[in-house]
Amino acid sequence: MQPLAAMTWEEARDAAGPGSVAILPVGAIEAHGPHLPLETDVIIAQAMARAAAARLAARGSSVVVLPPLTYTAAAFAGGFAGTLSLRPETVTATVLDIAAGLARHGFGVLAIANAHLDPGHLASLEAAVSAIRRDLGLAVVFPNLAAKPWALRLTDEFRSGACHAGQFETSVVLAERPELVREATRAALAPNPSSLSRAIRDGKQSFEAAGGDRAYFGFPAQATAEEGRATIEVLGAILDEAVRAELGTETGG
Ligand SMILES: [Zn+2]
């Protein structure tokens, strides 16, 4: 398993072929409370991609991890400084173009590693997945963590819908990039149990309207690196299982 961007073109040629897997981490540049960096979802997506790649490679799959897509639709956080939100159609077109390159060069499946749950973003990826299947004939997997069956594997806080910059995401950043967590701020943050997913269902369109006036939800003060490491393993297992189901090798594990 190698990062595609570090390979030569001949190494990339040799890594492609039937059954080969290209993992695209997709994050966002988006406000994540007063304690986490704007690139939090990029960090989570890259950890998920790495964990999945290790599992797939251990079973003998040829797997490459693509450079992350670091800009995407993030309208809910649009009012917070530093958030840079793309139009959903830009995201769809970008993912479709990346997939076209992978298909042209013979990769077997595109696996999207994503932990950013903005509804406009999810819709842009679903549109890309449909177009990839219809227009390119490339196999593609995109496990939506907010939906069954995958959500059932994640933490109580995540499933409550208070799943932005809270215990779940903060734990992953503590495991991956602890130097980026504003620790004194994090440890003193009051809980915000407002459910972002319920607010979305009720038609709210921003973190502020959903009750997150500092761009976080949940219980960041309870985050631990240990929980983050466990979450990364679950995220990797989810993507691994989705890929194996797509390739028809589900019973191989
Ligand atoms: Zn996030």
Side-chain angles (χ1 to χ4, degrees):
M1 184 266 297
Q2 280 200 71
L4 178 83
M7 299 168 84
T8 68
W9 75 266
E10 293 182 347
E11 290 164 351
R13 177 195 61 199
D14 295 345
S20 63
V21 183
I23 303 178
L24 177 64
V26 180
I29 300 300
E30 174 188 62
H32 273 81
H35 63 299
L36 292 179
L38 297 163
E39 65 171 336
T40 288
D41 289 345
V42 182
I43 293 168
I44 298 170
Q46 288 183 293
M48 180 182 188
R50 188 190 66 234
R55 286 169 179 265
L56 289 160
R59 284 197 196 78
S61 293
S62 177
V63 49
V64 300
V65 177
L66 306 181
L69 183 60
T70 55
Y71 295 97
T72 188
F76 267 71
F80 295 90
T83 300
L84 301 173
S85 183
L86 301 186
R87 287 166 290 160
E89 58 266 35
T90 306
V91 179
T92 300
T94 301
V95 174
L96 189 55
D97 284 355
I98 292 167
L102 295 169
R104 175 178 182 181
H105 297 302
F107 284 93
V109 55
L110 168 61
I112 297 174
N114 172 66
H116 173 55
L117 303 176
D118 183 287
H121 166 74
L122 293 177
S124 74
L125 290 183
E126 294 287 4
V129 166
S130 297
I132 290 165
R133 291 196 179 116
R134 184 187 64 230
D135 299 339
L136 301 176
L138 178 68
V140 53
V141 299
F142 167 40
N144 180 352
L145 300 179
K148 288 176 183 171
W150 310 118
L152 303 176
R153 308 262 290 266
L154 299 169
T155 65
D156 290 346
E157 185 208 56
F158 183 89
R159 285 184 282 113
S160 80
C163 52
H164 179 83
Q167 182 175 344
F168 177 87
E169 292 195 323
T170 303
S171 292
V172 174
V173 181
L174 281 173
E176 285 287 294
R177 300 288 300 279
E179 75 280 8
L180 294 179
V181 179
R182 278 54 168 185
E183 185 57 20
T185 302
R186 177 195 76 82
L189 274 179
N192 178 15
S194 306
S195 173
L196 183 54
S197 52
R198 190 171 308 128
I200 290 169
R201 282 197 296 277
D202 291 344
K204 303 291 194 293
Q205 301 202 3
S206 68
F207 287 159
E208 297 95 322
D213 62 2
R214 293 183 82 192
Y216 77 93
F217 298 81
F219 303 84
Q222 297 180 21
T224 66
E226 184 182 19
E227 177 181 317
R229 284 188 285 273
T231 290
I232 291 164
E233 285 308 307
V234 174
L235 293 173
I238 286 171
L239 194 61
D240 171 37
E241 288 172 35
V243 168
R244 286 191 287 131
E246 179 72 22
L247 292 175
T249 55
E250 202 169 4
T251 56

